[in-house]
Amino acid sequence: MPTSTSPERTAWKGWRLHGDGRSIAPGEVVSPDERLTWPRTIGIGVQHVVAMFGATFLVPLLTGFDPATTLFFTGFGTLLFLLVTSGRLPSYLGSSFALIAPIGAVTGYVADGGGPIDSAKASLAQGGVIAAGASLALIGAVVHFAGTRWIDALMPPVVTGAIVSLIGFNLAPAAWNNVRSAPVTAVVTIVSILLITVLFKGIVGRLAILIGVLIGYATACLRGEVDFSAISSAGWVGVPTFRAPSFDVSLLGLFVPVVLVLVAENIGHVKSVAAMTGQNLDDVTGRALLADGLSTALAGAGGGSGTTTYAENIGVMAATRVYSTAAYVVAALTALGLSMLPKFGQVIATIPPGVLGGAATILYGMIGMLGVRIWVQNRVDFADPVNLNTAAVSMVVAIANYTLVWGEMTFTGIALGSLAAIAVYHVMRWISNLRGTNLEQASPASAPAGADLDSPSYRERHRKVAPQE
């Protein structure tokens, strides 16, 4: 069984060799402060870069940001993350999908919509990314000293699940806009990703998005939908294009609610790694949030999109049983190196909207369903009218993209939906507990059936009503 690493020991003091460095015995894992031989570690590190490619590059392509700049800040952010967490928490910080909607709301950019992104609007979006990163860093500092219980109280599973879901489903129209530009290519991309997911085991199955995008790209090439002209004019070596941010306080309402999703993603990552390695990483949760916040803010300052921990890389670790942070240092350095190859960045930029729409259809849907998964994993009781209405109101507000203009500030579906989830839950829960209405007979919308019959609210309701029958 894996042994717990004490907080005093960090990978920065040197990664010790796991066994003979060549093999992993059944039931064992390579812990964060260990490594395999360097050739094997380098191979796994490169594999982490490949795993995050598909999802990470979709963000700049869908938002109009520069892919090379985005890649640079994911590599830099990963090194920063490892430094702040003292090398105890393996993670690659890829591009955050949660920020696509607010960035798009500011810039109005549409993939392959007939022109490049407006630089002035992109700078304003970067200011919003910085605000989101700074807010996350602040929350990380509070969590480091006060723990995570206050987050659990503010955002119980029904609220967290609703916020994660509504971000994914709010993005659905953006996916459709790309799909309808090249429906055949989009369908090929979707079908390829789905089939690869179920046809192949291990790492190949986990790279379904990347491989599906490659198949879709090949289809687009055959259909004459790819423009290669920019590749030949790009240099072989050069630094990414950086852009300074600008700020408009009226736009902050679009970005700050996204912090709630980044918090949920990071805490989930810490818990996942702790479960798979057998280590207690609760004390590093605050530093993880702080590090991701700093990484996101730095990305926004230079022209990159925000960052977050990646499920794709969790999958690689689960498949290889290697949790060494040495592999992530290799991955970060590899990403930084690739970001210095302009031709590589231009190749990525040639991915057409049909492919983007196909991949986004699955990825946006996955974000939405991750929220549903949070409800299922935490056995959220939807026979309880408070939980039911919390999810119902917030989801409709986000999917319909309700918009509120308050003075100089504009709040759209994600912001209003997130606020609705928190407000509806806490206000209804307070009144419900005060009045005892959570014990009333179920309404038609919440009539219990199946697993609901074992829920706490139904059992309590049944106990109260039974003597009167």
Side-chain angles (χ1 to χ4, degrees):
M1 294 295 291
T3 57
S4 178
T5 301
S6 67
E8 287 75 19
R9 176 169 177 90
T10 69
W12 303 119
K13 295 180 180 179
W15 294 279
R16 51 192 169 89
L17 201 63
H18 176 87
D20 62 3
R22 294 178 174 83
S23 60
I24 308 172
E28 292 186 353
V29 300
V30 178
S31 63
D33 64 336
E34 296 179 324
R35 65 171 176 84
L36 297 177
T37 59
W38 280 114
R40 288 174 173 78
T41 297
I42 291 172
I44 293 172
V46 172
Q47 188 169 277
H48 277 298
V49 176
V50 173
M52 66 83 189
F53 262 175
T56 286
F57 277 126
L58 280 176
V59 176
L61 293 174
L62 292 169
T63 58
F65 281 22
D66 186 84
T69 306
T70 297
L71 185 59
F72 174 87
F73 281 109
T74 65
F76 187 85
T78 298
L79 290 177
L80 177 64
F81 186 93
L82 296 174
L83 179 64
V84 174
T85 58
S86 299
R88 293 180 56 208
L89 184 62
S91 176
Y92 191 94
L93 295 188
S95 302
S96 172
F97 272 76
L99 286 159
I100 291 177
I103 290 174
V106 173
T107 64
Y109 177 81
V110 178
D112 201 32
I117 191 170
D118 183 283
S119 296
K121 292 180 178 179
S123 293
L124 289 172
Q126 290 172 229
V129 172
I130 292 174
S135 300
L136 181 61
L138 178 61
I139 291 174
V142 174
V143 168
H144 183 68
F145 293 104
T148 60
R149 288 189 177 182
W150 66 277
I151 295 179
D152 296 332
L154 176 66
M155 296 191 302
V158 63
V159 173
T160 303
I163 292 174
V164 173
S165 276
L166 63 84
I167 285 181
F169 295 136
N170 176 268
L171 289 167
W176 168 238
N177 286 335
N178 285 323
V179 168
R180 65 183 179 182
S181 67
V184 173
T185 301
V187 170
V188 169
T189 304
I190 293 171
V191 172
S192 297
I193 294 173
L194 296 179
L195 288 180
I196 291 168
T197 300
V198 294
L199 284 175
F200 298 97
K201 299 179 180 180
I203 191 61
V204 175
R206 296 184 187 278
L207 294 179
I209 292 174
L210 175 63
I211 299 173
V213 165
L214 291 176
I215 294 173
Y217 188 82
T219 302
C221 290
L222 293 175
R223 295 177 59 83
E225 297 169 357
V226 182
D227 181 5
F228 297 101
S229 59
I231 299 176
S232 59
S233 60
W236 285 101
V237 179
V239 296
T241 302
F242 298 110
R243 181 177 52 229
S246 56
F247 299 88
D248 185 343
V249 68
S250 67
L251 301 175
L252 298 184
L254 297 170
F255 289 87
V256 173
V258 173
V259 174
L260 302 179
V261 180
L262 299 179
V263 168
E265 288 176 338
N266 277 275
I267 291 178
H269 182 85
V270 173
K271 291 180 178 179
S272 295
V273 174
M276 291 188 291
T277 62
Q279 298 182 0
N280 184 352
L281 297 172
D282 288 348
D283 63 303
V284 84
T285 301
R287 282 192 278 169
L289 294 169
L290 173 63
D292 191 13
L294 293 175
S295 174
T296 295
L298 286 172
S305 53
T307 60
T308 189
T309 53
Y310 254 42
E312 287 86 345
N313 298 101
I314 284 281
V316 172
M317 290 190 288
T320 62
R321 291 185 290 149
V322 176
Y323 299 87
S324 171
T325 50
Y328 281 97
V329 171
V330 172
L333 294 176
T334 301
L336 288 172
L338 290 174
S339 73
M340 304 293 181
L341 303 176
K343 281 191 182 295
F344 176 77
Q346 288 302 322
V347 169
I348 299 300
T350 62
I351 298 177
V355 178
L356 297 178
T361 297
I362 294 177
L363 287 171
Y364 294 169
M366 281 184 176
I367 295 173
M369 294 310 297
L370 282 175
V372 176
R373 186 181 181 188
I374 290 174
W375 292 335
V376 173
Q377 289 176 329
N378 291 277
R379 299 176 182 270
V380 173
D381 178 16
F382 283 109
D384 183 336
V386 175
N387 292 339
L388 182 68
N389 284 282
T390 296
V393 173
S394 61
M395 293 293 285
V396 170
V397 168
I399 292 172
N401 202 35
Y402 284 26
T403 302
L404 171 66
V405 178
W406 185 21
E408 295 184 353
M409 300 189 70
T410 300
F411 301 88
T412 56
I414 290 179
L416 295 177
S418 300
L419 178 62
I422 296 173
V424 169
Y425 175 82
H426 287 287
V427 173
M428 286 191 69
R429 179 64 69 206
W430 177 71
I431 296 175
S432 177
N433 290 337
L434 185 67
R435 295 286 298 155
T437 49
N438 60 315
L439 302 181
E440 293 295 316
Q441 286 282 16
S443 67
S446 60
D452 287 342
L453 299 177
D454 295 323
S455 67
S457 62
Y458 178 76
R459 288 199 305 269
E460 183 67 11
R461 184 187 303 124
H462 186 72
R463 185 181 67 81
K464 293 286 185 180
V465 174
Q468 302 175 9
E469 296 179 345

